[in-house]
Amino acid sequence: MADNPHTRECVLGLDVGGTGMKGALLDRGVRPLETVRRPTPRADGAPAVVDAIADTLVTLTRKAAERGLPVHRAGVVVPGIVDDDRQTAVWSANIGWRDLPLAALLEERTGLRVTLGHDVRAGGVAECALGAARGVQNALFVAIGTGIAAALVCDGKPIRSGGYAGELGHVVVESEGRPCACGSTGCLETVASATAVAAAYTVRSGRTVTGAADVAALTAQGDAVAQAVWERAARGLADALATATALLAPELIVLGGGLAEAGRLLLDPVRAGLDERLSFQRRPLLVRAELGDQAGCLGAGLIAWQAGSGRPSHDRQGTGVSGP
Ligand SMILES: [Zn+2]
């Protein structure tokens, strides 16, 4: 076995975020052998971001060569709207690209075979294959960070709808609410994203915080303003998740992203709020993600293995999200 060159192949996984990129060399069991991190130069425009992605893939390829490992394929996941069928980055507010045939561009630049995917859907794929949703046929993975997006798995299949499915962050939860970056008003993102939680605390208290983690700590300490901001975020999440539950009937909801780092401080009130809002619907279990900020990168590796003939060796759950 050890002498079969195919068992020694690896894939590259790269998660391109609005602020930073996380890349890894991953073996057939989707275990990271090497990792790299670097900032996303989004202030310099989309072409600079494409350059940085290509550079990072080249760096990882060099690391694979140093270990004597052939690279099977690269998986690259990005935020915004991604059309998996056309392998195109359709739109990203954060990075500013539009209808960019990113996989083809990166293949041309690096000589690698590249599969493009969506960051949060890839995170959901990873949580289903390796994390909190292992073996679950109907799951909803929600990433709550700078923005909010969801990945849906129904009857074992990820739902994509041309890249437009899963935009939970833009479900309206406050009809008289604040304007959202998307152009609408009162979207979930305006009350429950990490950015919104930190901004709301600053506006109401007059005190600057470095991020939502500070608001979580103040909430736990009994700060009344922080508690009000936190409760509002939990209420918004419960509203949106109740809608999602009525439509999709997930057995399991997995909360990930920076805000979920708060653990029970977030899960308990959201779980209680969701329970209050449901009547006859099947009640989903609500749990915290297990893979942390690695989910996107591991998911990128998984889609790279799935895109070629090389199925990952851990494919054992039968969820359908781990392989064709
Ligand atoms: Zn919106």
Side-chain angles (χ1 to χ4, degrees):
M1 267 299 266
D3 293 322
N4 179 344
H6 292 295
T7 64
R8 295 177 59 248
E9 276 190 324
C10 66
V11 291
L12 313 184
L14 182 60
D15 178 11
V16 181
T19 51
M21 299 184 192
K22 301 175 200 86
L25 204 63
L26 300 153
D27 71 6
R28 206 164 268 273
V30 206
R31 286 174 291 259
L33 305 171
E34 300 261 3
T35 57
V36 292
R37 285 181 184 240
R38 65 182 285 175
T40 302
R42 64 171 169 159
D44 302 330
V49 175
V50 177
D51 286 348
I53 296 171
D55 275 359
T56 309
L57 292 178
V58 168
T59 302
L60 285 167
T61 305
R62 199 179 308 126
K63 287 180 186 292
E66 284 164 13
R67 287 170 168 262
L69 300 174
V71 175
H72 172 69
R73 182 177 278 269
V76 176
V77 301
V78 301
I81 303 295
V82 176
D83 186 334
D84 293 53
D85 294 334
R86 292 194 299 130
Q87 287 289 286
T88 297
V90 176
W91 178 78
S92 165
N94 264 332
I95 299 177
W97 49 41
R98 211 178 175 88
D99 280 322
L100 192 70
L102 190 54
L105 271 175
L106 292 171
E107 287 191 343
E108 200 177 281
R109 297 278 292 274
T110 64
L112 293 162
R113 287 178 296 177
V114 177
T115 301
L116 181 69
H118 181 256
D119 57 354
V120 174
R121 285 200 299 277
V125 164
E127 289 288 346
C128 283
L130 308 163
R134 278 191 306 277
V136 178
Q137 291 286 307
N138 297 286
L140 179 66
F141 170 69
V142 184
I144 313 168
T146 314
I148 298 177
L152 326 168
V153 175
C154 288
D155 297 327
K157 294 186 186 67
I159 306 297
R160 289 193 288 265
S161 291
Y164 288 89
E167 293 292 341
L168 193 71
H170 303 283
V171 168
V172 174
V173 295
E174 291 188 353
S175 53
E176 307 285 310
R178 294 170 57 81
C180 178
C182 77
S184 185
T185 301
C187 296
L188 178 63
E189 241 178 60
T190 67
V191 301
S193 68
T195 320
V197 165
Y201 181 79
T202 297
V203 167
R204 292 190 190 193
S205 70
R207 276 172 286 162
T208 307
V209 286
T210 54
D214 288 356
V215 184
L218 287 161
T219 301
Q221 287 160 23
D223 179 298
V225 177
Q227 284 177 339
V229 169
W230 200 260
E231 278 165 22
R232 176 170 169 246
R235 209 162 44 236
L237 280 165
D239 281 338
L241 292 177
T243 302
T245 299
L247 283 173
L248 302 158
E251 298 155 76
L252 182 73
I253 297 176
V254 180
L255 297 189
L259 210 69
E261 300 293 310
R264 288 189 56 184
L265 189 70
L266 183 69
L267 286 162
D268 286 352
V270 174
R271 194 181 282 131
L274 182 58
D275 202 45
E276 250 169 45
R277 286 159 176 75
L278 298 178
S279 53
F280 66 90
Q281 296 89 349
R282 177 167 67 185
R283 276 171 165 65
L285 279 174
L286 187 76
V287 299
R288 184 175 161 186
E290 285 181 7
L291 303 175
D293 71 354
Q294 289 290 301
C297 181
L298 296 174
L302 280 163
I303 64 172
W305 280 123
Q306 288 162 17
S309 54
R311 289 163 69 96
S313 63
H314 73 280
D315 184 11
R316 59 185 181 263
Q317 289 80 27
T319 60
V321 296
S322 302

